[in-house]
Amino acid sequence: MASFDPDRIEIPNGHYIHAALVRGPGALGVSRPSDAAPYAELPMADAERVDEAVASARRAFQTSGWASQPPRERARVMRRWADLIDADIDYLAALEALGSTRPIDQARAWDVPYTAEGIRFFAEFADKHGGEVAATGHASLGMQIAEPLGVVGAIAPWNFPLSMTCWKVAPALAAGNTVVLKPSELTPFTAVRLAALAIDAGMPPGVFNVIQGNGATTGDTLCRHPDVAKITFTGSTATGRHIMGACAETGPKPVTLELGGKSPQLVFADIPDIERTADTLAAAITGNAGQVCVAGSRLLIERSLLEPMLERLQTRFDALTPGLTWQSGTRFSPIVSEGQMQRIESVVTRAREAGADVVAGGGRFDTAAGGFYRPTILQVQSARNPAVEEEIFGPVLSVQTFDTEEEALALAEHEVYGLAAGVHTADISRALRATRRLSAGTVWVNRYGRSNDYILPTGGYKRSGIGRDLGRAAFEANLHHKSVLIGIDG
Ligand code: NAD
């Protein structure tokens, strides 16, 4: 039985700097998404606390040996860290489920093992990359040496606290950098546990630090710190814009930005198995209650399939009932906060005012203690509807119909976002044509959503991001190259 008592979990509350849990200054209330009960007062790092964490990371970069040791040793520590995460699953999964939207069964089956695997994946790059010998004249020897950047500042969102931390932190550490991470103030604690386990695995103090606080104060201060060499960020497009501005003003320093999405799912009438496609579409908008960057939130469907598909989606949506994240068997997630709930409600209201028809859902579940939003379908006639234009980050699917492939591809194009897209068809040529045309960092054909492989990079076209997480690209984005020219002509 994975169910647990949420009142009996020890909370690692504090910043984690130089291998120690530190408190203060300030306090921010933190609540459980499932029942809105406050459960901790989070300290908020001011400029002095941020400076302390960055100084710890800088010292560790210069003197701890993390960057200078044989890279195989670094990989070994990271693999040990991953093993400790796997072994800590009972506590870590409960801590994640307590404070986030992740139901305990999913935290155990996905978030914890996926995080450990990600650390192993990036650890393997540590000693499997090199520089280059350049084509120079024989009077000299030219080389390019890859080196870590120094202190990397990482800023994470709340929707998958453990795995987003892994995406940001693991490639930076594997490349020999040291890190100061600011988790979301809504889901701050599992990152602290990860940092403590890293110390148990043999990572030197100061290599991985965690600071707590909000975005406007703590996050912004981290971005502007002169000793932070790079910012790697996952969150909304609006925040990404601020962060890039802060990094430009105080640097410039490089950024990796994984931002928002409004991803289309193109469904053609030739799909061989409507039940399977309906399963895929429903999961793509209701998983984590739609609080997923790559949520398949815009259904574009060939007109003849509209009615049978809506009927099937409705059946699947009806089967999803709210549940507390600490109860085994819960499949449908709460909305992370009342603020996020109001954002969802605001878009749905404006979408209706602009002419959207509510085919399913359209409001909160009224039985649950916390905030749960009904899986919702909004059929729209015009692409100029808030349900199509805005990232909702909730279980809300907009639906538009098309008659031709060309029309489908035109509707798929979003003015702002280009994170992911899905194509469902039995026609391989059509799938490949669509794949070439779609403006999206990831295209899924006859499936939707990631596998647990780390090898394919992920990131955005358009304003969905800059740079890539995952894959070799994420590792390489944490290095820079030094050119060396040696005179050898005597
Ligand atoms: P958010 O942008 O509100 O916050 C993300 C993080 O940035 C938090 O830690 C927050 O405290 C911090 N922050 C806020 N303002 C800041 C500032 N001015 N300076 C520095 N830091 C600041 O996003 P969120 O609500 O936590 O997460 C949801 C968003 O994340 C959605 O838009 C979603 O699409 C996106 N997301 C993208 C990906 C991806 O891979 N592209 C993955 C997950 C989530």
Side-chain angles (χ1 to χ4, degrees), residues 154-160 164 167-168 182-187 213-224 231 233-244 246 257-262 291-295 336 340 343 391 393 417 419 450 458-460 464-465 469:
I155 300 180
W158 47 261
N159 59 341
F160 293 88
M164 289 299 106
W167 285 21
K168 303 278 93 183
K182 193 200 85 61
S184 167
E185 60 275 34
L186 299 179
T187 55
N214 68 7
T217 301
T218 308
D220 186 69
T221 307
L222 180 64
C223 293
R224 292 176 188 275
I231 291 287
F233 167 76
T234 297
S236 63
T237 295
T239 306
R241 199 175 291 130
H242 277 289
I243 285 180
M244 195 159 178
L257 304 176
E258 292 294 337
L259 308 177
K262 191 75 197 177
Q291 299 160 113
V292 181
C293 54
V294 292
V336 73
Q340 179 61 21
R343 262 178 48 196
E391 184 184 41
F393 229 57
Y417 297 117
L419 195 56
R450 298 178 210 294
T458 184
S464 285
D469 274 346

Side-chain angles (χ1 to χ4, degrees), residues 60-61 64-78 81 118-130 145-152 166-179 203 207 229-230 232 256 471-481:
F61 184 71
S64 73
W66 184 250
S68 59
Q69 71 191 323
R72 191 130 199 87
E73 289 303 319
R74 202 156 65 224
R76 203 182 316 241
V77 170
M78 289 186 68
W81 184 25
I119 289 170
R120 285 188 193 98
F121 174 86
F122 284 111
E124 291 305 325
F125 283 111
D127 64 341
K128 293 177 188 65
H129 75 107
I145 305 173
E147 295 185 338
L149 302 164
V151 178
V152 171
C166 167
W167 285 21
K168 303 278 93 183
V169 167
L173 292 174
N177 300 283
T178 57
V179 170
M203 195 175 282
V207 169
K230 169 191 174 141
T232 176
T256 294
R472 177 176 286 276
F475 176 78
E476 285 177 351
N478 284 285
L479 294 166
H480 52 183
H481 293 90

Side-chain angles (χ1 to χ4, degrees), residues 295-359:
S297 55
R298 288 193 294 136
L299 172 58
L300 310 176
I301 189 158
E302 195 160 346
R303 195 175 301 276
S304 61
L305 260 192
L306 176 69
E307 291 309 324
M309 186 58 85
L310 289 183
E311 212 174 281
R312 283 165 176 81
L313 288 176
Q314 176 87 62
T315 310
R316 283 155 178 82
F317 285 7
D318 287 346
L320 292 168
T321 49
L324 300 168
T325 48
W326 44 85
Q327 276 173 359
S328 184
T330 292
R331 288 169 56 217
F332 186 61
S333 293
I335 301 303
V336 73
S337 65
E338 181 56 26
Q340 179 61 21
M341 178 66 100
Q342 287 173 9
R343 262 178 48 196
I344 297 170
E345 289 178 328
S346 150
V347 186
V348 173
T349 304
R350 285 183 289 112
R352 294 171 81 156
E353 285 165 3
D357 292 324
V358 180
V359 177

Side-chain angles (χ1 to χ4, degrees), residues 358-445:
V358 180
V359 177
R364 297 183 190 214
F365 279 100
D366 39 50
T367 51
F372 290 82
Y373 199 86
R374 291 180 186 280
T376 294
I377 300 175
L378 299 176
Q379 198 177 343
V380 300
Q381 307 305 331
S382 155
R384 289 263 163 251
N385 185 292
V388 175
E389 290 181 320
E390 298 180 31
E391 184 184 41
I392 299 177
F393 229 57
V396 181
L397 181 67
S398 70
V399 181
Q400 294 165 274
T401 51
F402 63 81
D403 294 304
T404 64
E405 183 180 318
E406 201 53 40
E407 200 188 338
L409 289 167
L411 287 172
E413 199 67 26
H414 194 279
E415 264 180 24
V416 177
Y417 297 117
L419 195 56
V423 183
H424 304 267
T425 176
D427 179 342
I428 182 71
S429 301
R430 169 146 62 199
L432 291 173
R433 279 195 302 273
T435 299
R436 281 196 198 279
R437 291 269 300 274
L438 287 163
S439 305
T442 298
V443 178
W444 287 299
V445 177

